[in-house]
Amino acid sequence: MVARGELFKIEPGIYSETRRRPRELEVIQARYPRSVVTLQSAYYYYDLTDSIPDKFHLALERGGSRIRSDDVVQHAVPAGTLDLGAETRDVHGMCLRIYDRERLLIETIRMRTKLPYDLYREVIGGFRRIVDELYPAKMYDYLESFPKRDVIDRVVRSEVF
């Protein structure tokens, strides 16, 4: 198929049906198909911040494979929660596996002590602006699978809803 021009080789093991060179994040997600765009990268793609992240932020299940790239910050999520809220969607012309906004809110609260304070406040403000577009029932369904769900729930209620 490569010889006939039906597929185009991007790198070993990764091919494309179009001549367009995929963006780096698309190639990384092709290499690590279980990864999910999260935190700083997702904030930017959802317009919760205007800060362009220096690196790609991806979630993988705790204890799983490591992403070997200087351009990626890997975030471990509890076992059994990686796929909760993960969806494949077109983002800025790329087909990405990214957390929906409800799951992203949970991740934000879970990681709040590791995020820069100014970014955390900006993102929480962004969630407050779109609170009418969020589905709390979906978020609470996700929370059932997380440790410390009571703490996350309390912070969400006091800072967003």
Side-chain angles (χ1 to χ4, degrees):
M1 292 178 81
V2 172
R4 292 190 308 259
E6 295 174 26
L7 279 180
F8 302 93
K9 186 174 182 176
I10 305 303
E11 61 180 49
I14 300 177
Y15 298 85
S16 173
E17 294 176 344
T18 64
R19 229 180 244 289
R20 175 187 74 82
R21 170 82 178 146
R23 295 187 212 158
E24 187 175 1
L25 183 52
E26 291 174 300
V27 173
I28 291 169
Q29 282 209 308
R31 264 189 248 140
Y32 302 93
R34 301 250 323 128
S35 68
V36 183
V37 175
T38 190
L39 298 174
Q40 284 93 323
S41 295
Y43 300 151
Y44 177 71
Y45 294 135
Y46 281 124
D47 293 322
L48 294 170
T49 182
D50 55 3
S51 301
I52 301 171
D54 296 336
K55 298 183 180 209
F56 303 113
H57 292 258
L58 300 175
L60 279 170
E61 201 163 89
R62 187 171 289 137
S65 61
R66 297 285 309 152
I67 296 177
R68 290 164 179 54
S69 173
D70 293 337
D71 296 331
V72 174
V73 176
Q74 182 174 341
H75 300 276
V77 296
T81 65
L82 180 67
D83 294 327
L84 291 175
E87 58 187 23
T88 301
R89 62 187 311 179
D90 182 273
V91 179
H92 294 234
M94 297 179 286
C95 184
L96 298 179
R97 190 165 133 91
I98 188 170
Y99 282 132
D100 62 21
R101 293 179 297 183
E102 291 78 12
R103 173 60 190 271
L104 185 58
L105 178 55
I106 291 171
E107 289 304 304
T108 301
I109 302 305
R110 282 185 59 244
M111 302 299 287
R112 70 187 180 281
T113 60
K114 293 183 170 74
L115 294 171
Y117 181 77
D118 291 343
L119 176 65
Y120 176 75
R121 298 305 324 155
E122 179 182 5
V123 169
I124 290 298
F127 277 114
R128 281 191 199 123
R129 282 192 305 279
I130 63 167
V131 73
D132 293 337
E133 299 171 22
L134 297 175
Y135 295 97
K138 187 190 312 186
M139 187 189 68
Y140 290 115
D141 285 346
Y142 297 159
L143 270 178
E144 291 300 315
S145 301
F146 285 90
K148 299 184 182 178
R149 61 184 153 270
D150 296 337
V151 173
I152 297 169
D153 177 40
R154 188 175 61 249
V155 173
V156 167
R157 288 178 190 272
S158 69
E159 294 194 16
V160 179
F161 289 107

